[in-house]
Amino acid sequence: MKKLAIASALLSALALTGTANAYQAEVGVTAGLVDPDNSSTKGIYGVEGTAYFKPVQTRNAPLAEAAYLDRASNVNAQYAYSKVDDVKLHNYSAGVEYFVPNSDFYLGGDIGRQDMKFKHDSNFNTTLYSAEVGYLPAPGLLVAAGVKGYHNDDHDRTAPSLRAKYVTELANGQDINLEAGATFGNIKDYNLAADYYLDKTLSVGADYYKQDLLDNREFGITARKFFTPSISLEGRVGFGKVNDTDYNSYGLAAKYRF
């Protein structure tokens, strides 16, 4: 049950028409369900926020990728809550992304905490952290390397990480986002993601991740729509397995920019 609880916590941490508007902050609320086989459905609820050091210029970029393409440095934070049987799960995280001015270098880092509160057992808490250095060798392309780790009463592990992200406009005038990441050594995780932008306000996509430590893997289908330059709604349906338990997950996120 602990692995399913941790997987639900991670899911909650992952997780509302023009193109010329600037914004300097984005806030959002999330809600989701995890529906495992042979067990009751679990609810997940969260809030998140990002503040940018200067206004983000959306220009003619896909609205979902505006901050990345504008190389907008920021600080961000998230909180999520869920309950799995008699276990209450709290997830906190805070991070920073810094695009070094007048250069192609990038710095990023975050720290988080997962608190698992058992009704009939002692609490189990995990601290997570990461740091990375990146370089943007071409427009829309980021390659970053760093370290990821976690600490709890059972383990204290740190491992090297590598990831890449590429956003580009296709010959038909539409856009695509491709992402890949992996952690090596004693933490063997990897993830893949792709988004296809039907226009600057609407995307559909798919993702897959595997977490070796939790024996957890999941495939997801996503979509996001901006109804105005400031308001968007995002949805995801996932099909996963943790240890020997299959589950489906469903999530919605409403976000507002200002």
Side-chain angles (χ1 to χ4, degrees):
M1 184 181 72
K2 181 180 287 187
K3 285 188 174 182
L4 179 59
I6 296 174
S8 299
L10 290 174
L11 175 65
S12 65
L14 291 180
L16 249 145
T17 310
T19 57
N21 297 68
Y23 64 96
Q24 200 161 354
E26 183 171 65
V27 295
V29 294
T30 61
L33 296 173
V34 177
D35 184 17
D37 290 351
N38 305 316
S39 185
S40 58
T41 300
K42 300 12 177 202
I44 301 170
Y45 312 95
V47 293
E48 60 186 64
T50 302
Y52 297 94
F53 296 175
K54 62 179 183 179
V56 177
Q57 303 297 326
T58 58
R59 298 186 176 89
N60 196 39
L63 289 175
E65 303 292 350
Y68 170 71
L69 292 175
D70 200 37
R71 301 189 179 186
S73 299
N74 65 84
V75 292
N76 55 80
Q78 296 182 2
Y79 168 75
Y81 169 82
S82 60
K83 185 177 181 181
V84 178
D85 297 328
D86 291 330
V87 184
K88 294 181 179 180
L89 309 168
H90 300 269
N91 293 267
Y92 317 83
S93 68
V96 60
E97 293 185 298
Y98 184 67
F99 293 85
V100 181
N102 303 315
S103 79
D104 293 318
F105 288 97
Y106 161 90
L107 303 172
D110 63 68
I111 186 167
R113 182 177 173 91
Q114 295 176 355
D115 293 343
M116 302 174 60
K117 300 183 182 299
F118 292 87
K119 185 175 182 179
H120 303 293
D121 202 349
S122 58
N123 296 339
F124 187 83
N125 304 321
T126 300
T127 299
L128 306 98
Y129 53 89
S130 70
E132 62 182 3
V133 177
Y135 185 71
L136 295 101
L141 175 61
L142 170 66
V143 179
V147 294
K148 286 187 176 182
Y150 67 90
H151 169 77
N152 55 39
D153 292 338
D154 293 340
H155 300 286
D156 188 355
R157 293 180 176 176
T158 303
S161 64
L162 181 67
R163 74 178 180 97
K165 177 180 174 71
Y166 184 48
V167 179
T168 188
E169 185 175 351
L170 302 176
N172 61 4
Q174 296 174 325
D175 301 89
I176 191 169
N177 168 54
L178 302 173
E179 298 183 40
T183 304
F184 310 94
N186 56 11
I187 304 177
K188 295 182 176 65
D189 300 338
Y190 64 84
N191 64 277
L192 300 168
D195 299 291
Y196 184 75
Y197 293 90
L198 301 172
D199 57 38
K200 304 302 183 184
T201 69
L202 176 63
S203 66
V204 293
D207 60 65
Y208 178 81
Y209 69 84
K210 183 179 186 299
Q211 296 168 326
D212 184 66
L213 178 65
L214 302 175
D215 192 20
N216 176 219
R217 62 196 64 84
E218 183 172 329
F219 169 76
I221 299 172
T222 62
R224 186 177 184 182
K225 171 64 179 178
F226 281 83
F227 298 98
T228 75
S230 300
I231 300 173
S232 68
L233 185 66
E234 182 175 2
R236 183 180 184 277
V237 178
F239 310 91
K241 185 173 185 177
V242 57
N243 202 8
D244 294 323
T245 301
D246 294 322
Y247 66 88
N248 297 333
S249 63
Y250 312 90
L252 284 175
K255 299 181 180 180
Y256 176 68
R257 295 173 170 177
F258 56 94

